[in-house]
Amino acid sequence: MAATHSPNNRVWTNARLATMAVDTGTPYGAIEDGVVVARNGRIVFAGPRAEVSNFGQAEVIDCEGRWITPGLIDCHTHLVYGGNRAHEFELRLKGASYEEIARAGGGIVSSVKATRAASEDELFASADKRLAALTAEGVTTVEIKSGYGLDTDSEVKVLAVARRLGRERPVGVQTTFLGAHAVPAEFKGRSGDYIDLVCGPMLDAIVEQKLADAVDVFCEGIAFSPEETARVFTAAKAKGLAVKIHAEQLSNLGGAALAAGFGALSADHLEHLDEAGVIAMAKAGTVAVVLPGAFYFLRETVKPPIELLRKHGVPIALATDANPGTSPLTSPLLTMNMGCTLFRLTPEEALAGMTRNAARALGLQDEIGTLEAGKACDLAIWEIGRPAELAYRIGFNPLHTRIRNGQ
Ligand code: DI6
Ligand code: FE
């Protein structure tokens, strides 16, 4: 009788694994001649072929020596927004700075107008194309922030679109409420009143509809002060939500240390972070998310303090920051390349930044981010000879297959 196999049991064999597990003693947690065994969408074994005696009634997939990494995780994006800002790109090329454009009513506020005017279906359709670009390069989980609605109905609309992407596409979506992204035009000069709205009715509506997994604040001279940030974090924590911060992107306001004091999952950007901030993050276990796309697009010159983050053992994650204003980037592979060329990460750090440490930046370290038994079977299978190729190439996609929850 021919062997039957359960569709819920799958084995990827004849593969090289970059497990990205910690403390294996080998770069990338690599295993030559490895197998991944999955049952009902979860990894039950990832390790040397020699340790598995038989595959039972499983569907066996021969990887022909290809590399398997954990599915990539983009832990910081603003994927859902209306319109685009190509016109501001032109203005910046004529000499205007990002801050000048923002102060003159352009910048985030112009994306807010377009986002408010767009229907849910329109927002879904445009974000879906950007999401497809991410998944085409191996992304299996993405974080999506609100922050281009800036009134209760529009923030709810954006987060509902993000949730819908997670339901209708084969990708995990974590949502983050970033109502404190910018002061909307109708609150100009009254940021305190706007923060009342964010911490009150807006947060209430979002919690009520279970639309957010975390809350973020843009703490910056052109956005919100540390005091305003603390108010949002206090309100978020009272509702049981995790917090994150955009900090030290254009100046050092001590936002990362503030967020660490609230037990933040991550502090993101960090170009102007100092050693005191690094130490505070290390103590709190807050992940440093670096965003080379924004650094590149704004032609910044001050790099995040990678050496200090390494010295104090702060985990470093890497993300696209996909957004219309400062990082119109939807390539995780180019992001890894930029992490290496611009910030001097090693290719192994870059891959850890889009797998293991990105999972941690989302609080999902027990679920995803490494090839280890017990985690979701989210895989990226690559046509490469060594893992460093993922960060090395520019504009080339060696993805062979992407697997989400074993499918
Ligand atoms: N930091 C950024 O780089 C983006 N948001 C943020 O908090 C900028 C968003 C934009 O300009 O539209
Ligand atoms: Fe951002």
Side-chain angles (χ1 to χ4, degrees):
M1 201 172 82
T4 54
H5 53 249
S6 155
N8 295 327
N9 294 350
R10 300 182 92 190
V11 178
W12 289 265
T13 184
N14 194 13
R16 290 181 279 177
L17 310 182
T19 66
M20 303 313 287
V22 280
D23 300 333
T24 62
T26 38
Y28 300 93
I31 294 167
E32 297 283 335
D33 195 10
V35 296
V36 176
V37 181
R39 198 166 299 143
N40 298 324
R42 319 277 314 175
I43 298 173
V44 293
F45 177 81
R49 168 75 185 87
E51 288 179 19
V52 187
S53 51
N54 73 79
F55 297 140
Q57 297 194 329
E59 176 188 356
V60 178
I61 298 125
D62 182 352
C63 294
E64 299 170 332
R66 294 183 187 92
W67 278 90
I68 304 182
T69 68
L72 301 185
I73 300 165
D74 193 353
C75 70
H76 178 143
T77 85
H78 310 246
L79 218 57
V80 179
Y81 56 82
N84 70 60
R85 304 244 289 280
H87 177 56
E88 289 178 15
F89 183 51
E90 292 177 309
L91 293 177
R92 286 207 297 116
L93 286 165
K94 288 187 184 139
S97 73
Y98 177 67
E99 280 172 291
E100 278 163 9
I101 292 171
R103 290 191 195 281
I108 294 177
V109 168
S110 68
S111 292
V112 170
K113 273 192 205 134
T115 303
R116 287 179 179 176
S119 70
E120 260 194 56
D121 284 344
E122 286 164 345
L123 291 174
F124 182 90
S126 65
D128 194 31
K129 292 196 181 110
R130 294 186 279 270
L131 181 62
L134 297 177
T135 56
E137 292 186 7
V139 168
T140 48
T141 298
V142 62
E143 183 256 19
I144 301 178
K145 301 175 195 294
S146 67
Y148 291 110
L150 307 188
D151 62 35
T152 302
D153 288 351
S154 306
E155 286 292 290
V156 163
K157 175 174 71 175
V158 166
L159 289 170
V161 168
R163 286 279 196 237
R164 184 177 153 202
L165 288 165
R167 281 194 307 275
E168 296 187 15
R169 298 293 174 253
V171 59
V173 172
Q174 288 287 113
T175 57
T176 301
F177 170 49
L178 177 59
H181 192 197
V183 180
E186 62 275 19
F187 281 88
K188 198 167 180 186
R190 296 187 295 125
S191 66
D193 293 346
Y194 179 62
I195 291 293
D196 289 343
L197 174 66
V198 168
C199 296
M202 229 186 242
L203 185 61
D204 287 346
I206 282 154
V207 169
E208 166 104 348
Q209 298 177 55
K210 295 193 168 59
L211 288 174
D213 302 308
V215 173
D216 195 342
V217 176
F218 187 16
C219 180
E220 189 58 68
I222 55 167
F224 297 97
S225 68
E227 295 70 32
E228 290 165 335
T229 303
R231 287 186 56 203
V232 177
F233 285 173
T234 303
K237 294 246 112 175
K239 302 272 190 196
L241 288 171
V243 300
K244 307 169 82 70
I245 190 167
H246 282 67
E248 278 62 282
Q249 180 185 9
L250 308 170
S251 62
N252 183 5
L253 300 183
L258 173 82
F262 280 87
L265 287 175
S266 73
D268 303 29
H269 285 290
L270 305 177
E271 279 80 348
H272 295 266
L273 180 67
D274 61 16
E275 188 159 18
V278 174
I279 291 169
M281 290 175 66
K283 279 207 182 110
T286 298
V287 175
V289 180
V290 297
L291 304 166
F295 175 91
Y296 164 85
F297 200 68
L298 295 178
R299 304 179 74 227
E300 298 288 351
T301 51
V302 179
K303 297 182 183 51
I306 301 296
E307 281 299 340
L308 288 174
L309 293 167
R310 285 183 186 132
K311 174 178 154 194
H312 293 285
V314 176
I316 301 171
L318 191 61
T320 62
D321 194 17
N323 79 65
T326 62
S327 190
L329 169 63
T330 46
S331 167
L333 293 172
L334 180 55
T335 302
M336 284 196 261
N337 175 272
M338 287 177 165
C340 298
T341 51
L342 299 175
F343 295 164
R344 313 315 287 167
L345 296 177
T346 66
E348 186 181 356
E349 285 173 325
L351 186 56
M354 295 208 93
T355 54
R356 185 180 69 239
N357 292 340
R360 196 159 157 193
L362 298 176
L364 295 178
Q365 60 273 19
D366 296 331
E367 256 313 283
I368 52 175
T370 61
L371 303 180
E372 288 179 289
K375 294 200 176 177
C377 185
D378 288 359
L379 315 177
I381 306 177
W382 307 96
E383 208 82 67
I384 53 175
R386 56 190 296 152
E389 279 180 51
L390 297 176
Y392 154 73
R393 290 179 195 272
I394 302 170
F396 181 79
N397 182 4
L399 187 73
H400 182 269
T401 318
R402 193 190 73 107
I403 306 291
R404 162 80 181 150
N405 283 335
Q407 301 296 314

